[in-house]
């Protein structure tokens, strides 16, 4: 403000004929910039850095020494403007640990005999009996007494599925009681408990995070000495210090001080339009250099909440019966599994019955009377001998890393509902984009078990996977990766906060609101889309490239102007004006960072978007029928040939009347519309080939069903081929749906972001 007012006032005075007053205003403007610039240079030298600000200080002093006040005032304005932009672009957001500390309970209920008192958590000592209510955070590490419990441990492990703990097992502080009130015997004080350690880890990780060096300073090592030498040569050759000042004026590093910050600020603005908040220019600059990405699993690569993955039945029960029994018994349960089961029941258009005599056993499940039957849902009886179909379910769940809710009706094991945390539909495409954008190494880092982590890592083709990691383990892994390459960490939970802070740049998914991770991370995604990580990196790389390009372009033009000034062709004032023109050019180039970076996907037309939404909705309606294909195959595999005829007929009807019309409509309507956003008609060729294979297997299935209907049963010699047909069709459809959802349906623009 001072420099602009001084320059404008001086120009006004000169126009009015008062040259002395004008020079006074310009001198004041020059001095107002010289004082802070000198401080910046001294501060940089104290820190062992030789910055380009030194040229500005020398040129400002030189203009005063040779009486070129107008040139000095112009330089002062450029310098002040550049510093303002740089500070705005590179101001580091305070890494607020408040969310971590706020989550820590301040009070706890301590039981002493029959007396229950509320005391500060800090007053708890080892051996105290602590009562933790439903939904409350466990205040200290303790051992369960008086009964089992169910705990949401996602804050520590990242595992979205609640964990049952039996009497005598240890429970760590920071987890949430997801069941009935429990009693814990304290085995550590609050300051020595697990959650306090997480806060400390985050603080330590933040403390060791080094600042990013300004882009401009990287050029200073050679640009500053070259400028000073050229100015000295000009003075010596021309015999006048004015030539030296002219060289310094046109060498004033405003292209460096302005172009880079403008490009960085433009990148920040572009990212914000997509729901990506990058806290500082330094964070964006670092993000543009990332070559290793470490990512959490639960809530990051997966949805972060369990859903019903499959329903298995004992002979004599249907899938609809099992899910309705289970939902009725779990209707009033707050358990996350219960909510998933009730939601699955509703998605099938079924209405649960109102249960009576509801009892919930923490860690095992719920029991209730439903329509006159005693129904139990959960882990009841899993330690007993299981029939073959149930043993298959348990074995499959162990391999796939899913949880199982067993359903008992009147003491008979009637079915099972497997629950899983599904992978995000945009994960595969995002991984491909990250690799195409320059990320050479992708690491999965999770507190979840090896089976669940391995499934995700294999599906995405990640380079390494580390499972069952504690918060401190995560910090160690991130630091180890960071010693080899510039590393980013992506996460969403409290347990990820220390690792986010330890990374060169932390990226937090915070679509559900403010979390500890969002407080620690330099990059915060406010939309629940993992592909925004790839968008953020593409924007950062482009902004950084444009910043360097603009700075280099400005320097080349400045060097040419310096040569002209050294030859006596540019007086200081004219050189300052020319420098302003150079500034305008590099700023216009830097503003290109406001535009969206090039992407490997285009924007679908309105007609294509309408079709994508239509077929995405149809996928949801077809899932039950696809699951029934697997159920029919299981009936055959378990030797229930007569029962299989009914299920096969139902499956064939679904395939002929629902599935095939859907696939044919996709082929004829959707795929042609995708040619433009995907780049060519060949982009959907592989999927069209899948349609052909679906038609072939459907035809074989129809012939088998016709033969079975005539015989009234499945001929034994047809079982093997029919099983291959059913299992093959089921897996092919799962793959086909998955690819369409990951490669085509994610082309829809984000409705919540301003593009």
């Amino acid at each position: 403000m001072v420099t602009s007012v001084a320059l404008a006032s001086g120009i006004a005075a000169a126009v009015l004929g008062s040259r002395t007053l004008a020079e006074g205003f310009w001198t004041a403007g020059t001095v107002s910039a010289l004082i802070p610039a000198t401080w910046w240079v001294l501060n940089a030298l104290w820190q062992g850095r030789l910055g380009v600000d030194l040229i500005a200080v020398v040129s400002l002093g030189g203009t005063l020494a040779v009486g070129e006040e107008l040139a000095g005032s112009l330089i002062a304005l450029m310098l002040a403007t550049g510093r303002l932009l740089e500070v705005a672009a590179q101001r580091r957001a305070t890494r607020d640990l408040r969310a971590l500390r706020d989550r820590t309970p301040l009070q706890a209920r301590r039981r002493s005999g029959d007396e229950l008192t509320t005391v500060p958590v800090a007053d708890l000592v080892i051996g105290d009996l602590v009562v933790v209510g439903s939904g409350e955070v466990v205040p200290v590490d303790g051992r369960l007494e008086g009964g089992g419990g169910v705990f949401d441990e996602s804050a520590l492990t990242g595992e979205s599925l609640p964990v049952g703990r039996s009497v005598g097992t240890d429970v760590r502080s920071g987890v949430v009681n997801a069941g009935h009130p429990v009693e814990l015997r304290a085995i550590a004080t609050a300051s020595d408990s697990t959650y306090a350690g997480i806060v400390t880890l985050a603080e330590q990780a933040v403390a060791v995070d080094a600042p990013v060096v300004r882009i401009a300073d990287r050029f200073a090592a050679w640009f500053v000495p070259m400028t000073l030498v050229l100015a000295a040569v000009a003075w010596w050759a021309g015999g006048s210090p004015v030539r030296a000042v002219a060289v310094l004026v046109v060498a004033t590093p405003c292209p460096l001080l302005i172009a880079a910050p403008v490009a960085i600020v433009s990148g920040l603005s572009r990212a914000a339009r997509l729901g990506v908040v990058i806290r500082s220019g330094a964070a964006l600059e670092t993000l543009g250099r990332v070559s290793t990405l470490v990512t959490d699993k639960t809530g990051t690569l997966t949805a972060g909440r369990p859903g019903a993955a499959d329903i298995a039945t004992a002979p004599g029960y249907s899938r609809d019966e099992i899910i309705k029994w289970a939902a009725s018994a779990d209707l009033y349960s707050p358990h996350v599994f219960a909510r998933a089961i009730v939601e699955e029941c509703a998605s099938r258009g079924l209405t649960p019955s109102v249960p009576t005599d509801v009892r919930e056993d923490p860690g095992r499940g719920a029991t209730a009377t439903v329509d006159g039957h005693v129904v139990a849902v959960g882990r009841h009886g899993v330690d007993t001998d299981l029939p073959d179909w149930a043993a298959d379910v348990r074995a499959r769940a162990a391999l796939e890393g899913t949880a199982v809710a067993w359903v008992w009706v009147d003491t008979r094991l009637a079915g099972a509902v497997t629950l899983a945390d599904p992978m995000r539909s945009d994960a595969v495409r995002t991984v491909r984009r990250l690799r195409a954008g320059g990320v050479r190494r992708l690491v999965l880092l999770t507190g979840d078990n090896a089976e669940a982590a391995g499934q995700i890592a294999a599906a995405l083709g990640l380079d390494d996977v580390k499972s069952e990691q504690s918060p401190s383990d995560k910090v160690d892994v991130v630091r180890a990766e960071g010693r080899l390459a510039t590393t980013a960490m992506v996460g969403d939970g409290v347990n990820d906060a220390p690792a986010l802070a330890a990374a060169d740049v932390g990226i937090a998914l915070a679509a559900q609101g403010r979390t500890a991770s969002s407080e620690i991370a330099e990059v915060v995604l406010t939309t629940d889309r993992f592909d925004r990580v790839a968008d953020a990196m593409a924007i950062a790389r482009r902004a950084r490239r444009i910043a360097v390009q603009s700075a280099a372009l400005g320097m080349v033009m400045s060097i040419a102007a310096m040569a002209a000034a050294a030859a006596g062709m540019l007086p200081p004032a004219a050189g300052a004006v020319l420098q302003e023109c150079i500034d305008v050019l590099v700023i216009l180039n830097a503003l290109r960072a406001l535009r969206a970076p090039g992407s490997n996907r285009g924007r679908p037309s309105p007609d294509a978007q309408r079709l994508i939404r239509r077929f995405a909705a149809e996928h949801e309606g077809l899932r039950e029928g696809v699951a029934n294909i697997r159920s029919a195959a299981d009936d055959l595999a378990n030797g229930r040939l007569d029962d299989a005829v009914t299920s096969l007929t139902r499956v064939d009807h679904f395939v002929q009347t629902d599935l095939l019309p859907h696939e044919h409509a996709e082929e004829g309507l959707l795929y042609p519309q995708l040619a433009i956003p995907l780049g060519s008609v060949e982009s959907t060729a592989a999927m069209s080939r899948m349609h052909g294979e679906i038609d072939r297997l459907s035809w074989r299935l129809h012939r088998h069903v016709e033969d079975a209907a005539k015989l009234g049963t499945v001929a034994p010699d047809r079982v093997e081929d029919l099983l291959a047909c059913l299992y093959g069709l089921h897996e092919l459809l799962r793959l086909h749906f998955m690819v369409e959802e990951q490669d085509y349906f994610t082309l829809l623009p984000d409705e919540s972001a301003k593009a």
Side-chain angles (χ1 to χ4, degrees):
M1 177 63 75
V2 173
T3 56
S4 59
V5 170
L7 177 61
S9 299
I11 293 173
V15 171
L16 294 174
S18 180
R19 181 70 185 182
T20 302
L21 182 60
E23 291 176 350
F25 279 123
W26 293 333
T27 299
T30 303
V31 171
S32 69
L34 179 60
I35 294 174
T38 302
W39 169 252
W40 298 333
V41 170
L42 292 175
N43 186 54
L45 291 173
W46 178 259
Q47 297 176 7
R49 292 190 294 113
L50 178 65
V52 290
D53 295 328
L54 178 62
I55 299 175
V57 170
V58 176
S59 63
L60 286 169
T63 57
L64 292 177
V66 300
E68 293 286 347
E69 292 85 2
L70 175 58
S73 187
L74 287 168
I75 295 171
L77 177 62
M78 290 187 290
L79 188 63
T81 303
R83 177 61 64 169
L84 179 64
L85 286 171
E86 184 184 35
V87 169
Q90 296 187 333
R91 183 181 297 116
R92 297 298 296 262
T94 302
R95 284 167 171 170
D96 188 5
L97 298 177
R98 187 166 54 252
L100 279 171
R101 299 191 182 100
D102 287 351
R103 190 176 181 276
T104 305
L106 300 178
Q107 294 183 319
R109 290 191 294 274
R110 181 169 59 191
R111 181 187 296 281
S112 179
D114 294 332
E115 183 180 358
L116 189 65
T117 57
T118 300
V119 300
V121 171
D123 291 349
L124 294 176
V125 298
I126 296 175
D128 281 348
L129 190 62
V130 182
V131 178
V132 183
S134 179
E136 293 181 352
V137 177
V138 175
V140 293
D141 293 350
R143 186 165 291 118
L144 274 173
E145 293 197 1
V150 178
F151 299 91
D152 176 1
E153 299 186 351
S154 59
L156 300 185
T157 67
E159 171 56 65
S160 62
L161 305 178
V163 177
R165 299 293 182 191
S166 58
V167 176
T169 57
D170 292 345
V171 177
R172 293 178 289 175
S173 61
V175 305
V176 177
N177 181 11
H180 292 301
V182 296
E183 293 184 348
L184 298 170
R185 184 71 65 179
I187 58 175
T189 62
S191 60
D192 293 332
S193 291
T194 301
Y195 193 71
I198 291 179
V199 176
T200 301
L201 282 169
E203 291 170 339
Q204 292 173 346
V206 168
V208 300
D209 193 27
V212 178
V213 180
R214 296 183 334 187
I215 291 177
D217 287 341
R218 296 173 191 165
F219 298 100
W222 63 270
F223 188 71
V224 171
M226 182 200 72
T227 300
L228 296 176
V229 169
L230 184 59
V233 170
W235 190 347
W236 173 78
S240 170
V242 175
R243 285 196 182 187
V245 172
V247 170
L248 293 172
V249 167
V250 294
T252 300
C254 288
L256 293 176
L257 294 177
I258 296 177
V262 166
I264 295 299
V265 170
S266 298
L268 297 175
S269 176
R270 180 65 204 175
R273 297 180 193 176
L274 297 178
V276 179
V277 178
I278 303 178
R279 295 185 186 276
S280 68
L284 184 139
E285 198 271 345
T286 306
L287 186 63
R289 296 186 288 110
V290 166
S291 60
T292 296
L293 183 74
V294 182
T295 178
D296 178 45
K297 181 184 76 70
T298 305
T300 304
L301 295 178
T302 66
R305 54 187 180 276
D310 195 12
I311 302 171
T313 67
Y317 293 93
S318 69
R319 294 163 61 87
D320 283 352
E321 285 179 313
I322 294 303
I323 195 65
K324 185 174 179 180
W325 287 123
S328 299
D330 275 339
L331 189 59
Y332 300 134
S333 174
H335 198 288
V336 65
F337 282 179
R339 291 196 298 271
I341 290 172
V342 173
E343 288 173 2
E344 176 66 17
C345 181
S347 70
R348 295 168 175 266
L350 304 173
T351 302
S353 301
V354 177
T356 58
D357 301 326
V358 179
R359 302 180 304 281
E360 192 156 0
D361 183 7
R364 297 190 66 81
T367 303
T369 300
V370 179
D371 298 332
H373 299 274
V374 177
V375 179
V377 183
R379 299 177 65 238
H380 302 280
V382 293
D383 297 328
T384 62
D385 291 334
L386 297 176
D388 291 343
W389 69 267
D392 290 342
V393 170
R394 184 164 60 179
R396 196 184 311 155
L399 287 174
E400 297 176 353
T402 57
V404 181
W406 301 99
V407 182
W408 298 74
V409 179
D410 294 331
T411 71
R412 181 190 177 192
L413 183 58
V417 181
T418 57
L419 301 111
D421 187 10
M423 187 170 68
R424 288 179 181 267
S425 61
D426 58 357
V428 172
R429 173 180 287 274
T430 301
V431 167
R432 287 205 304 266
R433 291 182 58 202
L434 289 169
R435 291 197 185 279
V439 176
R440 295 190 294 272
R441 179 169 168 80
L442 284 158
V443 179
L444 177 59
L445 184 62
T446 178
D448 207 348
N449 61 71
E451 290 78 10
Q455 294 275 339
I456 296 293
L460 296 177
L462 305 185
D463 298 300
D464 196 5
V465 55
K466 298 186 183 299
S467 59
E468 300 178 6
Q469 299 286 297
S470 69
S472 60
D473 293 335
K474 290 185 177 184
V475 170
D476 291 341
V477 171
V478 169
R479 285 180 176 166
E481 295 289 343
R483 285 192 287 269
L484 302 176
T486 303
T487 301
M489 168 71 188
V490 187
D492 74 322
V494 172
N495 63 304
D496 299 320
L500 291 173
D504 294 312
V505 58
I507 306 173
L509 275 72
Q512 305 306 318
R514 181 167 164 165
T515 65
S517 293
S518 66
E519 294 295 331
I520 292 294
E522 294 98 334
V523 181
V524 180
L525 311 185
T526 61
T527 57
D528 192 24
R529 293 176 59 130
F530 182 62
D531 63 349
R532 287 292 179 251
V533 174
D535 291 332
M537 286 194 175
I539 290 170
R541 291 184 192 281
R542 186 168 187 267
R544 182 174 178 272
R545 183 173 63 251
I546 290 174
V548 174
Q549 180 190 82
S550 299
L553 177 65
M555 281 196 304
V556 169
M557 292 188 291
S558 292
I559 290 171
M562 289 163 60
M569 301 169 58
L570 275 178
V577 173
L578 177 61
Q579 187 65 27
E580 284 283 12
C581 295
I582 293 174
D583 292 346
V584 171
L585 289 176
V586 297
I587 287 173
L588 290 176
N589 184 67
L591 287 173
R592 292 189 301 116
L594 281 170
R595 299 206 308 265
S599 174
N600 63 344
R601 64 174 182 177
R603 189 183 183 93
S605 66
D607 286 343
Q609 293 183 37
R610 176 180 54 79
L611 288 170
I612 290 173
R613 292 189 180 92
R614 167 191 161 181
F615 289 109
E618 288 185 10
H619 271 203
E620 294 303 317
L622 293 171
R623 292 192 192 282
E624 167 66 8
V626 173
N628 283 333
I629 297 175
R630 174 62 181 260
S631 297
D634 289 342
D635 284 342
L636 275 178
N638 289 317
R640 300 196 293 266
L641 302 186
D642 294 338
D643 293 340
V645 174
T646 301
S647 57
L648 285 171
T649 302
R650 182 171 64 250
V651 164
D652 183 57
H653 182 267
F654 158 75
V655 169
Q656 300 299 324
T657 61
D658 297 322
L659 177 67
L660 291 180
H662 166 84
E663 302 299 338
H664 295 160
E666 280 185 337
E667 184 70 34
L669 299 176
L670 178 61
Y671 286 10
Q673 289 284 345
L674 296 177
I676 294 177
L678 292 177
S680 73
V681 293
E682 296 302 317
S683 300
T684 57
M687 299 300 290
S688 294
R689 177 66 185 87
M690 279 196 193
H691 278 158
E693 185 64 12
I694 290 170
D695 281 341
R696 186 183 72 83
L697 290 174
S698 298
W699 178 84
R700 282 177 57 192
L701 173 64
H702 185 65
R703 293 295 299 270
H704 278 301
V705 172
E706 286 182 333
D707 292 342
K710 294 176 182 177
L711 294 174
T713 187
V714 177
D717 61 339
R718 298 291 184 92
V719 171
E720 184 175 349
D721 186 67
L722 187 50
L723 282 174
C725 180
L726 289 168
Y727 283 127
L729 182 59
H730 175 260
E731 292 305 312
L732 180 61
L733 287 171
R734 285 186 60 197
L735 175 62
H736 187 72
F737 279 22
M738 185 183 303
V739 173
E740 286 183 331
E741 289 162 8
Q742 292 174 349
D743 285 0
Y744 302 162
F745 296 174
T746 55
L747 291 172
L748 282 175
D750 185 4
E751 303 293 345
S752 63
K754 295 179 181 179

